[in-house]
Amino acid sequence: MNKVSIFDTTLRDGEQSPGCTMSLNEKIEMALQLERLGVDVIEAGFAASSDEDFHAVKTIASALEHCTVASLCRAVKSDIDRSAEALKGARARTRCHVFLATSDIHMKYKLKMTREQVLDKTREMVAYAVPLFDEVQFSAEDATRSDRAFLIQVAQAAAAAGATIINLPDTVGYTSPGEMMELVRAVKNALPEGICIATHCHDDLGMGVANSLAAVKAGATQVECTINGIGERAGNAALEEIVMALKVRQDYYGAQVDTNTQQLYRTSKLLSTIIGVPVPPNKAIVGRNAFAHESGIHQHGVLAERSTYEIMRPEDIGISLNSMVLGKHSGRHAFEDRLNILGHHLTKEQLDIAFAEFKKLAEKKKTVNDRDIEALVRQWGREEKETYKLEGFVVNSGSYISSTACVRVNKEGTVIEKVSMGQGPIDAAFKAIDRITKLGVKLEAYTINAVTEGEDALGEVVVKLHKDGETYTGRGLSTDIFESSIKAYLNGINKIVG
Ligand code: KIV
Ligand code: ZN
């Protein structure tokens, strides 16, 4: 059995894509969850790209205990130095991820470098990085469109200079599984024993996962991927799909991955909540319908024998089958117990807030199940300063009247109330909040999702607010969609002023 390392780049390639930005606290929360998921390497960011990224890489490196932490670098000394500086306080292993393009098209138009120059730069920068990190990974950007012989020369040069991981990115999502297999075999055969061959496949033609799996079949021992497949353009290969394919089809791939698959669902949900990008219902593995059998024939088959139509079980990815678990008479102990079973270990302060919210919810909702509890924790387990706290609101709307809203908030002890008209009741409420805060924010996106089925379901609202070139994500949760919308808007505002 070949051990295949899972290299997660959600916080780097994923985070750099539009609409997927995360705050520092959110990145840390995500990194800790990725560690719980058991990925082998976390690419925490691109330390040299900005002071915020440097700080994020540094903070994540000091928070992680077991995962190797990587920082991306261009093949320039200042990038490598900045990454080394950011990873200095890491508790686990450190990795320099240095990349340089090897395709003629990139070398000619982007790098304006000759093949000789690219070869020299590879040798020089890998050798420069080796003493500064526990390990060095070299990525030949646009490898799948590179001249094969030249690519092999560069890979050999990087390995000779001390890189122990050679990555062959399909940067523009151009290749196909058959070609990827040939490429991996050719490069592997040309390198010394013990060098790890990795892939990093983008999904432009919808083949990111298939190409990554083909690479494993051909002998790659690291795959780079992201949760929910987020990333540049059409995204990267989805981690949850690769991991489950390798587990379910171990007979075919012969690969061993150490990921704890029971953390997959929660990791996907957490990311989706943090960035405010919903998971499509038909998304493989983590989509809402991934385990739903709708047709009578399928239902009949599954009832008679699960394996007729099920190749994996919801429990395998951590979807709890437990429905009604707690109610309004449940005490703090039972709530905490349930949280622990679900794998959430909150601090006392976080638990106080989460329990108070649970009690409020249990008053409104007959049954509080695991999905509700997960949503509550996602919402209330966070340490965010609440500068503006919602005290109350009234909305008025209908087909014959203009929508109006009155919102009352408490701003650090002062009660402020404003009224506004709007295109609809939610727009009116947001405008009333704008009149209170006078921040001039722009609403970029609004999404609402029901956490569970049923008429008393919790509505989870995510808004994206734009202010001074930055995007802030706000979240709100309530059985009343006006309340969840207002809470989400205020949550975004609190992040701006916090
Ligand atoms: O897509 C790509 O080629 C990359 C490299 C930096 C690995 O993201
Ligand atoms: Zn990429």
Side-chain angles (χ1 to χ4, degrees):
M1 201 78 81
N2 251 349
K3 155 83 181 153
V4 171
S5 292
I6 302 296
F7 176 116
D8 180 277
T9 183
T10 306
L11 297 171
R12 199 277 299 169
D13 209 321
E15 206 264 345
Q16 80 192 36
S17 61
C20 295
T21 45
M22 297 177 222
S23 69
L24 177 63
N25 280 345
E26 290 167 340
K27 284 183 187 173
I28 296 167
E29 195 176 352
M30 201 59 218
L32 293 174
Q33 178 56 29
L34 288 168
E35 186 162 66
R36 227 171 275 135
L37 175 63
V39 303
D40 300 273
V41 186
I42 293 178
E43 187 161 50
F46 182 175
S49 67
S50 67
D51 286 348
E52 289 82 55
D53 245 52
F54 173 84
H55 190 54
V57 174
K58 192 174 168 61
T59 318
I60 291 168
S62 60
L64 295 174
E65 271 182 75
H66 312 291
C67 285
T68 297
V69 55
S71 173
L72 184 71
C73 314
R74 287 165 300 181
V76 292
K77 282 187 181 168
S78 55
D79 276 24
I80 296 171
D81 288 340
R82 199 77 178 132
S83 287
E85 173 75 18
L87 296 182
K88 215 163 49 194
R91 291 152 79 189
R93 286 181 73 73
T94 61
R95 182 180 295 186
C96 175
H97 178 190
V98 59
F99 75 99
L100 188 59
T102 50
S103 67
D104 288 336
I105 194 161
H106 274 233
M107 289 188 292
K108 181 170 176 194
Y109 295 106
K110 188 183 76 171
L111 299 176
K112 301 192 181 5
M113 284 168 84
T114 62
R115 288 187 176 189
E116 255 335 290
Q117 286 170 323
V118 165
L119 260 173
D120 287 346
K121 192 49 102 193
T122 303
R123 278 189 206 104
E124 192 195 341
M125 289 304 111
V126 170
Y128 182 76
V130 167
L132 304 175
F133 302 83
D134 291 321
E135 56 208 31
V136 175
Q137 163 171 336
F138 176 77
S139 284
E141 192 188 10
D142 208 16
T144 53
R145 291 194 301 164
S146 301
D147 173 74
R148 178 76 53 88
F150 176 63
L151 173 68
I152 288 176
Q153 257 188 304
V154 175
Q156 285 171 331
T164 51
I165 305 107
I166 302 293
N167 185 25
L168 306 173
D170 186 25
T171 304
V172 290
Y174 176 78
T175 203
S176 64
E179 289 171 303
M180 181 54 102
M181 284 178 99
E182 281 173 28
L183 179 67
V184 169
R185 282 194 189 119
V187 176
K188 200 175 167 69
N189 284 337
L191 290 176
E193 267 298 293
I195 296 287
C196 162
I197 303 285
T199 57
H200 171 110
C201 298
H202 280 272
D203 207 31
D204 299 65
L205 293 173
M207 288 199 281
V209 171
N211 289 332
S212 308
L213 293 170
V216 170
K217 186 71 183 162
T221 46
Q222 175 181 289
V223 275
E224 303 196 2
C225 40
T226 59
I227 300 295
N228 297 344
I230 66 166
E232 280 282 2
R233 306 178 310 278
N236 288 69
L239 181 150
E240 59 280 3
E241 295 179 23
I242 292 177
V243 166
M244 286 314 286
L246 293 178
K247 291 255 182 185
V248 172
R249 294 305 314 276
Q250 205 172 53
D251 61 320
Y252 178 71
Y253 293 107
Q256 180 218 323
V257 276
D258 295 336
T259 320
N260 175 3
T261 63
Q262 291 183 0
Q263 291 288 334
L264 283 172
Y265 186 66
R266 182 180 331 151
T267 314
S268 158
K269 270 278 183 201
L270 177 68
L271 177 68
S272 160
T273 310
I274 284 178
I275 61 176
V277 178
V279 175
N282 63 332
K283 162 90 177 61
I285 317 295
V286 290
R288 197 176 55 233
N289 296 345
F291 294 95
H293 300 278
E294 196 63 36
S295 98
I297 295 175
H298 287 206
Q299 285 174 350
H300 178 77
V302 169
L303 284 175
E305 165 56 42
R306 257 181 135 168
S307 60
T308 48
Y309 286 100
E310 244 180 36
I311 56 166
M312 57 198 155
R313 299 165 312 157
E315 306 91 285
D316 297 339
I317 64 151
I319 295 180
S320 160
L321 297 177
N322 210 336
S323 53
M324 191 192 80
V325 287
L326 298 175
K328 67 177 176 182
H329 300 298
S330 305
R332 188 187 166 97
H333 199 72
F335 179 64
E336 190 176 358
D337 234 38
R338 195 67 213 157
L339 282 175
N340 289 338
I341 289 169
L342 293 172
H344 295 286
H345 306 285
L346 304 191
T347 62
K348 189 188 164 305
E349 292 72 33
Q350 288 171 331
L351 187 64
D352 287 345
I353 304 172
F355 184 62
E357 291 302 321
F358 159 72
K359 277 293 190 191
K360 274 193 229 160
L361 176 62
E363 282 300 325
K364 291 188 200 153
K365 201 170 180 292
K366 284 194 282 296
T367 60
V368 178
N369 67 26
D370 287 348
R371 278 190 283 162
D372 294 315
I373 295 175
E374 296 269 9
L376 270 185
V377 174
R378 283 199 298 275
Q379 204 61 34
W380 301 106
R382 292 153 202 280
E383 290 146 48
E384 271 156 14
K385 191 167 164 234
E386 225 183 342
T387 309
Y388 292 94
K389 203 171 161 46
L390 179 65
E391 289 228 323
F393 68 92
V394 177
V395 289
N396 250 305
S397 188
S399 13
Y400 305 114
I401 57 165
S402 307
S403 297
T404 55
C406 172
V407 178
R408 187 191 304 151
V409 301
N410 189 317
K411 186 188 178 199
E412 292 165 331
T414 310
V415 175
I416 317 172
E417 185 174 294
K418 293 283 179 202
V419 180
S420 183
M421 284 175 44
Q423 294 298 323
I426 292 173
D427 183 45
F430 289 177
K431 288 201 163 98
I433 296 172
D434 288 341
R435 296 187 66 197
I436 293 170
T437 60
K438 300 189 186 82
L439 284 172
V441 299
K442 189 169 169 296
L443 177 67
E444 269 183 358
Y446 171 97
T447 51
I448 180 159
N449 272 298
V451 172
T452 54
E453 300 75 29
E455 57 204 12
D456 60 355
L458 277 172
E460 195 169 23
V461 171
V462 176
V463 295
K464 302 246 176 188
L465 305 181
H466 192 83
K467 166 97 179 124
D468 300 334
E470 297 272 341
T471 299
Y472 300 81
T473 306
R475 284 171 283 271
L477 190 68
S478 171
T479 49
D480 175 329
I481 62 164
F482 295 119
E483 186 170 298
S484 40
S485 304
I486 292 170
K487 280 180 167 173
Y489 202 80
L490 283 175
N491 181 244
I493 298 269
N494 281 331
K495 286 186 183 166
I496 295 172
V497 297

